[in-house]
Amino acid sequence: MAQTTRSAASNGPDGQRAPAPPPKGFRSAELGWPELHRIPHPPRRLPVLGDILGANVRTPLQDSMKMAAQLGPIFRRKAFGKEFVFVWGAELAADMADESRFAKHVGLGVANLRPVAGDGLFTAYNHEPNWQLAHDILAPGFSRDAMAGYHPLMLDVARQLTARWDEREAAGRSVDVPGDMTKLTLETIARTGFGHDFGSFERSAPHPFVSAMVGTLSYAQRRNVVPPLLTPLVLRGADRRNDADMAYLNRTVDAVIAARRAEGGSEAGGSGDLLDRMLQVAHPETGERLTPENIRRQVITFLVAGHETTSGALSFALHYLSRSPDVLARARAEVDEVWGGEGEPAYEQVAKLRYLRRVLDESLRLWPTAPGFAREARTDTVLGGEHPMRRGAWALVLATMLHRDPTAWGDHPEEFDPDRFAPSAVRGRPAHVFKPFGTGARACIGRQFALHEATLVLGLLLRRYDLHAEPGYRLRIAERLTLMPDGLTLRLSRRARAA
C-alpha cells in the first residue's frame, strides 16, 4: 500500500522550497500581534490570573459572547498567562475569510482532540499531508449521486425515530429532543458512511460510543479553561476517564474497520460508502492511499463530527419551531404541498423545501453548533487595515456573535426570523457573515450531507406531529466544544392527516 511521505517543506511546483510550517503548540497573542495593546480587554484584569472575574468554566463561549457585546468587534481575553484574540465583526471576519492571507488554525480546543482524532480532516494541521489526501479521496463520497444513494438509509433511520416518538406520543409522554436527535444522527452517519448499526433506538440509555464521545469533547473543553499548572491536580480523575473514553472509541472503530475488511468491501470495488473509499481508493493523481492509522482517525472524525453537530442543529430547529406557531404552520404547509400525498419523499423533493431550509439556517444562525473557528495568518499581514499580525498569529472567529452583528443582520438580531434567508435578503447582505460550517478550503466536507439529513428529518416530523413546547422551559445552552440545547423536551400529538 502506497503511503504519503511528503514533507511540509518539500519543493513546490515551481521548484522553490515551500516555507516551513508555523511553530507547533499554543501561541499566546502577544507573540503574534505587535500592537496588541490596541485591542480592548475586559476591565478588572488581575495579575497572573487575567480576565477570570465573572467567568464560568462551564460556559466559556457564553461568557465570551457577553464580553464581545461590551468590547466590540475585536477583543482579547487572558487567563493564567494565555492570551486570546476574538473577532466577530462582519468586516473583520470577512477579511479573515481571505484564503490568500489566512488559513485554518487548529486552536486549543480542537488541538485537545488530536490524541484521538490525530490528523483527521477536522483536527489536522494545514501542513500535514494526510488532510489533502483524505479530502481528495473522500470528496466524491459527498457528490450528488452519492447523496442520492444515502437517502434511503436516512429514511430508514428516520422511521426508527418516528416509531419511538409514536410510542411516546401514545403513552402521553414527552420526548427527549437532544437525546433522540443524537441517536438519529449517529445511526445515520454510521449506516450511510460505514455500514454499521449501533442499535441506538433499541437502547434506553445512550450508546457507549456517544457517552465516550461526549466525554472526550467535554474533556477537551475543560482543558481549555483549567490552568496548565493545575491540570495534573484538577483533571487527575478526568485524565483517566478520558483515556478510557479514547480507548473505547478506538476499539469500536477498529472493530468496524475489521468487519469491513473481512467482508472484502463493496462489490462496486471501492465506489460504495466512505469506508470503502478509505480502504480501497487511491488518490487519482499520486496513487497514494490512506494509512491504517489515518483511516481510524478519519472514521472517528466522521462518526463524531458527522452526528454531534447535526443533532444540535435539529434540536435547536425543533425548539424554535415549537415556540413559533406561525413559522411552524408555514413550514408544515410547505411540506404538505411539496410532498403531496407521498408517504415519504424522494431525494429530489427534499431540496424543494426552501422555507424549511430557511428555518434550519436561521436556527444555525442563532446557535451554530460549531460556534467558532480559528484562523491564522499565512504571512505577515494587517487585519482590517489596522491590526498588524505576524505570520502564524491567530484569532478565534466567534460565529455566534458574527451571526448577531447588527451591521449584517439588522437591529433585532436575537429574534428568530427565517425570512432572513429569503433570496432577496441573502443578496442584500455582505459576504462571509453566515459561517456555521467554517470557511475556506477547510470548511466542513459534509455540509450538504448534514443539510439534506436535517431538512429531510424536519419535514418528516412536521408532516407527522404537532409540536408542543413545555410551558416552563427556557432555552439553556450546553457547551462541550459543540453546542446543544440543555434539557429540551417536547410533547407531541399525531396530526389527523398523518399516515
Side-chain angles (χ1 to χ4, degrees):
M1 177 180 294
Q3 298 180 4
T4 181
T5 57
R6 291 172 293 185
S7 165
S10 62
N11 290 341
D14 57 359
Q16 297 297 314
R17 192 167 180 79
K24 293 182 180 180
F26 176 77
R27 302 189 295 283
S28 192
E30 63 270 13
L31 301 177
W33 297 75
E35 298 185 20
L36 188 64
H37 63 278
R38 297 176 53 201
I39 299 176
H41 64 75
R44 300 182 297 163
R45 173 171 283 189
L46 302 177
V48 181
L49 300 180
D51 307 312
I52 66 166
L53 293 179
N56 186 332
V57 295
R58 296 185 181 275
T59 57
L61 171 79
Q62 292 165 83
D63 289 347
S64 293
M65 291 174 67
K66 294 174 184 176
M67 293 180 187
Q70 297 168 0
L71 298 172
I74 181 170
F75 66 99
R76 54 191 168 112
R77 294 183 67 179
K78 189 171 187 177
F80 304 101
K82 294 182 177 180
E83 186 132 28
F84 309 82
V85 174
F86 295 81
V87 168
W88 62 271
E91 291 186 7
L92 296 178
D95 205 22
M96 298 197 82
D98 181 352
E99 285 284 290
S100 69
R101 295 165 51 221
F102 293 94
K104 173 171 178 168
H105 174 76
V106 178
L108 200 58
V110 176
N112 289 340
L113 294 175
R114 282 182 59 88
V116 65
D119 56 352
L121 283 170
F122 180 61
T123 48
Y125 293 115
N126 295 313
H127 65 273
E128 291 181 312
N130 274 332
W131 173 79
Q132 190 68 61
L133 175 63
H135 185 276
D136 292 348
I137 289 175
L138 292 170
F142 296 97
S143 67
R144 186 187 183 282
D145 287 345
M147 293 290 301
Y150 302 146
H151 180 78
L153 291 173
M154 292 182 178
L155 281 171
D156 190 49
V157 177
R159 291 186 202 107
Q160 293 181 296
L161 171 70
T162 55
R164 181 183 182 87
W165 279 24
D166 284 352
E167 292 175 359
R168 305 288 291 187
E169 186 273 335
R173 303 175 67 184
S174 60
V175 294
D176 172 7
V177 176
D180 287 342
M181 292 304 105
T182 296
K183 291 180 178 181
L184 170 106
T185 55
L186 175 63
E187 292 300 328
T188 299
I189 186 61
R191 292 187 60 186
T192 58
F194 310 103
H196 184 74
D197 188 344
F198 281 99
S200 296
F201 287 104
E202 301 164 12
R203 298 171 175 269
S204 57
H207 191 281
F209 185 92
V210 173
S211 300
M213 179 273 300
V214 170
T216 58
L217 292 176
S218 300
Y219 178 81
Q221 180 79 306
R222 292 186 68 188
R223 286 285 302 273
N224 280 350
V225 296
V226 174
L229 292 178
L230 297 181
T231 297
L233 177 64
V234 175
L235 297 182
R236 184 187 309 166
D239 278 338
R240 290 193 294 270
R241 288 192 299 274
N242 186 62
D243 289 343
D245 287 338
M246 289 193 301
Y248 183 84
L249 294 177
N250 287 334
R251 287 197 307 273
T252 302
V253 169
D254 286 347
V256 171
I257 295 171
R260 179 62 59 86
R261 289 189 186 276
E263 295 168 1
S266 75
E267 295 180 0
S271 61
D273 59 17
L274 297 178
L275 185 52
D276 272 343
R277 298 198 64 84
M278 293 182 197
L279 293 172
Q280 300 184 32
V281 175
H283 191 280
E285 296 178 3
T286 67
E288 293 172 308
R289 293 180 181 268
L290 296 175
T291 66
E293 181 181 28
N294 188 257
I295 290 173
R296 173 206 273 177
R297 291 170 171 175
Q298 302 297 354
V299 174
I300 289 175
T301 295
F302 276 106
L303 285 175
V304 174
H307 92 272
E308 172 74 358
T309 52
T310 309
S311 61
L314 279 164
S315 299
F316 283 116
L318 288 166
H319 165 75
Y320 284 113
L321 283 166
S322 71
R323 298 278 173 162
S324 311
D326 293 343
V327 173
L328 178 63
R330 185 174 169 187
R332 175 180 291 136
E334 179 187 59
V335 174
D336 290 343
E337 178 182 357
V338 171
W339 290 0
E342 306 259 348
E344 293 177 332
Y347 171 75
E348 295 79 8
Q349 288 180 295
V350 175
K352 296 179 180 179
L353 298 179
R354 295 182 176 88
Y355 183 73
L356 188 55
R357 171 63 186 276
R358 293 181 205 172
V359 170
L360 183 60
D361 283 345
E362 177 69 348
S363 302
L364 284 168
R365 180 187 71 84
L366 286 167
W367 293 108
T369 49
F373 53 94
R375 301 283 283 171
E376 66 180 41
R378 293 180 181 271
T379 60
D380 292 356
T381 189
V382 179
L383 177 64
E386 59 177 318
H387 297 288
M389 299 175 67
R390 298 189 181 101
R391 178 175 179 266
W394 64 280
L396 182 69
V397 179
L398 276 178
T400 48
M401 292 302 292
L402 171 63
H403 293 178
R404 288 168 166 79
D405 187 341
T407 65
W409 301 98
D411 294 333
H412 304 286
E414 291 286 349
E415 294 181 1
F416 178 75
D417 180 9
D419 282 332
R420 296 180 198 274
F421 289 90
S424 59
V426 173
R427 288 193 298 270
R429 272 196 299 274
H432 303 295
V433 295
F434 182 57
K435 295 289 184 179
F437 296 94
T439 192
R442 298 290 302 274
C444 176
I445 192 175
R447 172 180 178 172
Q448 294 307 320
F449 181 101
L451 291 172
H452 181 86
E453 176 190 4
T455 306
L456 168 65
V457 170
L458 288 176
L460 291 169
L461 295 180
L462 295 190
R463 192 172 177 82
R464 194 173 189 88
Y465 306 106
D466 287 313
L467 308 176
H468 308 285
E470 299 285 0
Y473 180 76
R474 296 294 179 268
L475 182 62
R476 303 186 302 274
I477 307 299
E479 299 185 26
R480 54 192 193 211
L481 286 186
T482 59
L483 305 182
M484 183 76 76
D486 186 23
L488 173 63
T489 61
L490 294 177
R491 291 174 292 111
L492 307 173
S493 56
R494 286 290 295 273
R495 291 183 65 196
R497 64 158 291 166

